[in-house]
């Protein structure tokens, strides 16, 4: 405890440092005579109204650049700027469960504020790579398609890639309600204001909310707040992990976090690179996602949603995030259009750790189902127009026969709960039916299955 306090004292700067506004450009304000560090929290005094909070984002010559948290209205040349904190912190603790917070960690759910809590920094360093234990335990997400075909582990980080309107929020809500994790920390970054209550009341529900902390920064708030909300949520998840809990961290979406960093980087004078994103965005993403994962004390299993423009999964943010994570789940607009929910495209999705987490039987079973799904997809046009003749190919025959049963396995009602064990049992029942019904599948080159 004393060592922790000493470390914080070593980083504190005197708050008597002041400067004055010299100009504004866009959403950024330049301050003269203000030698404070990047990330410091400051206040801009006005002739009318309360001071405007802001954060230092960079320097330009002799000027310090600050980014106001509530807009620049009322700021004029010569206004006094005063530093209030040398770095930003957020309150953490068990008392945050069931609460809705803003980017500063303040409760916005119209309930009494929680009791005093410990404060931690927003910009913490990721755990040391050497001290991270291997991921060797499964986590149940409550979604059968994921638990059965894309099994995830405690401390794994996965991206959910999808365009708008294909069921991301509903899928996240199912995870939060039915997961086997101890605590949920949910970051809603850049959401429409209407969607916040929709997610809390409809998708999350009282059961999920009781063991969740929700951090919100809506699309109308300044970019600095949207970025800080993601970092605050990560810090809160880290505090639960350090107390020995297994945390499910859901962030919707990492794309809007990247867009917020783009706004800040461009305002600070960074050069735009790929699709207008500055270099700082590509440096910030790995620092954010590396903070989650498993440690010696607990784990943070993270699911980050990624918005793909025009369903293009190769756009810059999606491509970068996919390379940083331990798997990706693709939601298909085509499946959603057919009423297939959750609209998970198994053929394009993968869990990189599944082979280390499940036994040989479950691993072989998932391969068999993937093989049948791929076989049906390759011959779907021939089947639909009646050009395929039954009995021509045993594998195609089996794919046709089990198509509806595979779809029923992958579909799931919102009020239906699943687990890794139940999902694998249903998967193997389906595979055994396949093996018994068509023994020639193995002779045709399919995987070897132990019939029971």
């Amino acid at each position: 405890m004393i060592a922790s306090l000493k470390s914080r004292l070593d980083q504190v700067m005197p708050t008597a440092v002041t400067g004055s506004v010299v100009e504004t450009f866009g959403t950024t304000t330049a301050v003269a005579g203000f030698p404070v560090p990047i990330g410091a929290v400051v206040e801009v005094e006005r002739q009318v109204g309360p001071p405007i909070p802001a954060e230092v984002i960079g320097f330009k010559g002799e000027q310090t650049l600050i980014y106001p948290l509530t807009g620049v209205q009322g700021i004029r040349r010569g206004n006094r700027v005063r530093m209030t904190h040398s770095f930003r912190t957020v309150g953490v603790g068990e008392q945050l469960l069931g609460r809705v917070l803003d980017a500063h960690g303040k409760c916005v759910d119209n309930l009494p504020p929680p009791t005093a809590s410990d404060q931690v920094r927003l910009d913490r360093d990721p755990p040391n790579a050497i001290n991270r234990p291997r991921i060797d335990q499964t986590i149940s997400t409550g979604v059968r398609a994921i638990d059965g075909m894309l099994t995830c582990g405690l401390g794994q980080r996965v991206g959910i890639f999808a365009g708008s309107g294909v069921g991301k929020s509903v899928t996240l809500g199912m995870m939060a309600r039915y997961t086997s994790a101890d605590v949920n920390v949910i970051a809603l970054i850049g959401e429409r204001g209407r969607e916040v209550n929709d997610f809390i009341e409809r998708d999350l529900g009282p059961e999920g909310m009781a063991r969740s902390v929700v951090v919100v920064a809506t699309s109308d708030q300044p970019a600095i707040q949207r970025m800080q909300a993601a970092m605050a949520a990560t810090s809160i998840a880290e505090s639960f992990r350090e107390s020995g809990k297994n945390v499910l961290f859901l962030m919707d979406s990492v794309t809007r976090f990247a867009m917020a960093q783009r706004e800040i980087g461009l305002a600070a004078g960074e050069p735009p690179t790929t699709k207008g994103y500055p270099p700082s965005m590509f440096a910030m993403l790995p620092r954010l996602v590396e903070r989650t994962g498993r440690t010696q004390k607990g784990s943070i299993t993270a699911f980050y949603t990624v918005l793909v423009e025009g369903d293009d999964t190769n756009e810059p943010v999606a491509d970068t995030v996919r390379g940083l994570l331990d798997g990706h789940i693709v939601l298909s607009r085509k499946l959603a259009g057919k009423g297939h929910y959750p609209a998970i495209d198994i053929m394009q999705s993968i869990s990189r750790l599944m082979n280390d987490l499940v036994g040989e039987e479950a691993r072989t079973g998932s391969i068999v189902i993937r093989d049948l799904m791929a076989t049906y997809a390759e011959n779907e046009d021939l089947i639909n127009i009646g050009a395929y003749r039954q009995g021509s190919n045993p594998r195609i025959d089996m794919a046709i026969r089990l198509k509806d049963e595979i779809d029923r396995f992958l579909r799931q009602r919102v009020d239906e709960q699943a687990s890794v064990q139940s999902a694998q049992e249903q998967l193997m029942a389906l595979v055994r039916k396949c093996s018994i019904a068509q023994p020639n599948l193995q002779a045709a080159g399919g995987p070897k299955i132990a019939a029971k």
Side-chain angles (χ1 to χ4, degrees):
M1 182 67 178
I2 295 176
S4 174
L5 291 174
K6 183 178 182 301
S7 174
R8 290 179 63 181
L9 285 172
D10 290 342
Q11 300 176 62
V12 170
M13 289 184 60
T15 58
V17 181
T18 61
S20 59
V21 173
V22 292
E23 67 174 320
T24 63
F25 41 93
T27 54
T28 308
T29 301
V31 183
F34 199 47
V36 296
I38 291 177
V41 184
V42 304
E43 286 185 344
V44 183
E45 297 180 355
R46 295 182 292 175
Q47 272 63 39
V48 179
I52 294 178
E55 182 171 316
V56 177
I57 62 171
F59 306 97
K60 184 180 179 181
E62 298 297 321
Q63 298 176 344
T64 300
L65 305 180
I66 64 173
Y67 199 104
L69 302 183
T70 58
V72 296
Q73 291 80 9
I75 296 178
R76 72 178 188 179
R77 185 188 298 271
N79 281 153
R80 183 169 172 264
V81 182
R82 179 176 64 89
M83 186 176 77
T84 59
H85 298 89
S86 54
F87 52 86
R88 190 173 291 283
T89 62
V90 64
V92 297
E94 297 276 348
Q95 65 276 8
L96 297 182
L97 290 174
R99 306 304 300 269
V100 183
L101 314 177
D102 65 10
H104 311 299
K106 297 179 180 178
C107 292
V108 293
D109 49 12
N110 299 321
L111 296 175
T115 56
S117 59
D118 295 330
Q119 298 285 320
V120 297
R121 289 188 62 149
L122 260 63
D123 56 341
R124 304 173 75 185
D125 291 328
N128 188 301
I130 302 300
N131 296 331
R132 291 178 182 262
R134 291 191 64 194
I135 297 172
D136 54 8
Q137 300 177 55
T138 61
I139 182 174
S140 176
T141 65
V143 180
R144 185 165 52 241
I146 298 176
D147 290 345
M149 300 292 294
L150 305 164
T151 311
C152 299
L154 287 172
Q156 187 169 347
R157 298 166 302 190
V158 182
I160 300 179
F161 294 74
S164 57
V166 294
K168 294 188 302 300
S169 297
V170 175
T171 304
L172 294 182
M174 292 173 66
M175 290 182 183
R177 283 200 305 274
Y178 303 138
T179 180
S180 60
D182 302 318
V183 175
N184 303 318
V185 178
I186 303 167
L188 303 178
I189 311 301
E191 290 287 335
R192 293 181 286 273
R194 172 191 61 80
E195 292 183 327
V196 174
N197 272 339
D198 283 352
F199 179 83
I200 292 172
E201 297 177 11
R202 179 195 64 196
D203 300 327
L204 195 56
E207 179 186 353
M209 191 64 200
R211 56 170 177 163
S212 301
V213 181
V214 181
V215 183
V216 176
T218 52
S219 58
D220 61 301
Q221 294 178 323
I224 195 84
Q225 292 203 45
R226 283 176 267 143
M227 188 186 73
Q228 287 176 354
M231 299 174 69
T234 305
S235 294
I236 292 170
E238 288 172 325
S239 72
F240 283 114
R241 178 178 63 187
E242 289 170 3
S243 67
K245 296 187 181 299
N246 293 317
V247 183
L248 178 66
F249 181 74
L250 306 175
M251 180 171 165
D252 185 16
S253 70
V254 72
T255 304
R256 295 191 179 110
F257 169 83
M259 289 178 175
Q261 178 57 32
R262 175 171 63 182
E263 288 184 41
I264 296 167
L266 295 177
E270 286 189 69
T273 54
T274 308
K275 282 203 171 181
Y277 287 102
S280 62
M281 189 279 289
F282 296 99
M284 185 72 72
L285 282 177
R287 280 191 58 83
L288 179 73
V289 302
E290 281 294 330
R291 290 172 62 180
T292 58
R294 187 181 176 192
T295 66
Q296 300 289 349
K297 296 180 179 179
S299 68
I300 301 175
T301 307
F303 288 83
Y304 299 93
T305 67
V306 184
L307 294 171
V308 289
E309 301 175 3
D311 296 332
D312 176 16
T313 57
N314 294 315
E315 59 93 25
V317 175
D319 202 40
T320 301
V321 171
R322 186 167 46 245
L324 297 173
L325 301 178
D326 307 315
H328 54 271
I329 297 170
V330 178
L331 301 187
S332 165
R333 190 174 300 279
K334 181 179 178 181
L335 290 176
K338 295 177 179 179
H340 181 122
Y341 289 104
I344 298 174
D345 188 337
I346 297 296
M347 302 308 301
Q348 294 192 58
S349 305
I350 190 171
S351 169
R352 296 181 182 176
L353 299 180
M354 181 174 176
N355 288 345
D356 298 331
L357 298 170
V358 301
E360 179 66 28
E361 188 179 50
R363 185 162 55 247
T364 303
S366 67
I367 294 173
V368 169
I369 299 302
R370 281 179 178 267
D371 177 73
L372 293 177
M373 293 176 68
T375 299
Y376 188 91
E378 290 169 0
N379 298 276
E380 186 171 12
D381 291 340
L382 293 175
I383 296 168
N384 288 338
I385 65 175
Y388 174 72
R389 189 180 63 185
Q390 189 77 14
S392 301
N393 186 303
R395 186 176 295 176
I396 299 176
D397 292 343
M398 182 59 64
I400 295 172
R401 188 172 299 129
L402 293 181
K403 173 69 166 60
D404 290 341
E405 293 195 47
I406 293 173
D407 285 346
R408 279 195 294 270
F409 170 75
L410 297 177
R411 283 180 169 143
Q412 185 176 345
R413 297 192 314 273
V414 174
D415 59 351
E416 182 183 358
Q417 184 174 357
S419 66
V420 172
Q421 181 178 355
S422 65
Q424 291 184 354
E425 288 174 354
Q426 293 180 55
L427 173 67
M428 293 315 302
L430 185 59
V431 172
R432 285 193 291 270
K433 181 182 296 186
C434 160
S435 178
I436 294 170
Q438 183 50 266
N440 291 330
L441 178 63
Q442 295 177 16
K448 183 178 180 181
I449 308 168
K452 293 185 179 180

